[in-house]
Amino acid sequence: MSVGSELVGRSVLVVEDSPETQDLIATYLEHQGLRVLRAANGAELTARIAQDRPDLVLLDINLPDCDGLALAERLRLGETVPLIFVTGRDSPTDRIAGLSHGGDYVTKPVDLLELLIRIRNLLRRSGAAALSSASAESAAVPAPDAPLTFRGWRLDLVRRALFRPDGSYLALTTGEFNILAALAAMRPNPVSREYLLDVISNRDPRSISEHTVDTLITRLRRKMRLDDGASSPIITVRGVGYALESDES
């Protein structure tokens, strides 16, 4: 399944007050060729909209200085620019409110491929700003459904499959795959245990333990240890969480 290479060079404003969540989404979208702008609150969003005129806005509802729904209504987001609410609020009332403001709606923890497809669909329907000059370089940018690669490993987000450096398939559980996908999207930056808890469960993170993340990481490391003795590319970042080694390490 292809989500299209026409996204290359389009601008997306990610409005999110959690630095980790913002980095995770922004880094993934940048890997797909999108030009990503960032804002951490309503004031920054307002300034970015006026200054940069993004092609699409990803908006968290719970912002530190305002309610995202009210802000979207005031700025007529959804009418003047394609809008996707990205939020942990997933009640039917919240969804209806988001849709009534002209926005699409994605709940956290975010399925990055689903988000990318929703962005593609909205930009196609809206006929938002034309491709920037970066589109001329699109052949050098991975297609949105291209596998993520690291240290010879290949992680296919569409097929939800992991392949060893020799090309052989390595079976993963859903939790193992979701954690590895989050690490791959952020590589080589570290991801905290708290965020990985969100990645592996739609439940309140307080209902599960950080030990769950550590257990899954241990299992991943064991599975990804190669026959030639090479260790897993997953490293521990003391005081932060986990990361994938960069290819330059």
Side-chain angles (χ1 to χ4, degrees), residues 131-137:
L131 293 174
S132 70
S133 59
S135 62
E137 301 173 356

Side-chain angles (χ1 to χ4, degrees), residues 68-102:
L69 290 170
L71 182 63
E73 182 175 16
R74 179 168 63 83
L75 297 179
R76 296 176 55 226
L77 303 179
E79 298 178 42
T80 58
V81 60
L83 172 66
I84 300 177
F85 291 105
V86 182
T87 176
R89 288 162 53 172
D90 59 356
S91 72
T93 300
D94 289 324
R95 287 180 177 275
I96 291 171
L99 293 172
S100 70
H101 284 75

Side-chain angles (χ1 to χ4, degrees), residues 16 18 20-21 24-25 60 85-90 95 105-115 118 160 174 178-179 182 191 193-205 208:
E16 169 62 59
S18 165
E20 280 189 338
T21 301
L24 183 72
I25 294 173
D60 187 11
F85 291 105
V86 182
T87 176
R89 288 162 53 172
D90 59 356
R95 287 180 177 275
Y105 201 96
V106 175
T107 57
K108 300 176 182 177
V110 178
D111 182 313
L112 294 173
L113 181 59
E114 176 190 352
L115 178 62
R118 288 178 182 271
R160 293 185 66 83
T174 298
N178 289 344
I179 280 186
V191 181
R193 288 179 175 85
E194 289 78 9
Y195 186 82
L196 292 176
L197 281 175
D198 284 340
V199 166
I200 62 175
S201 177
N202 285 313
R203 298 170 294 168
D204 185 336
I208 56 178

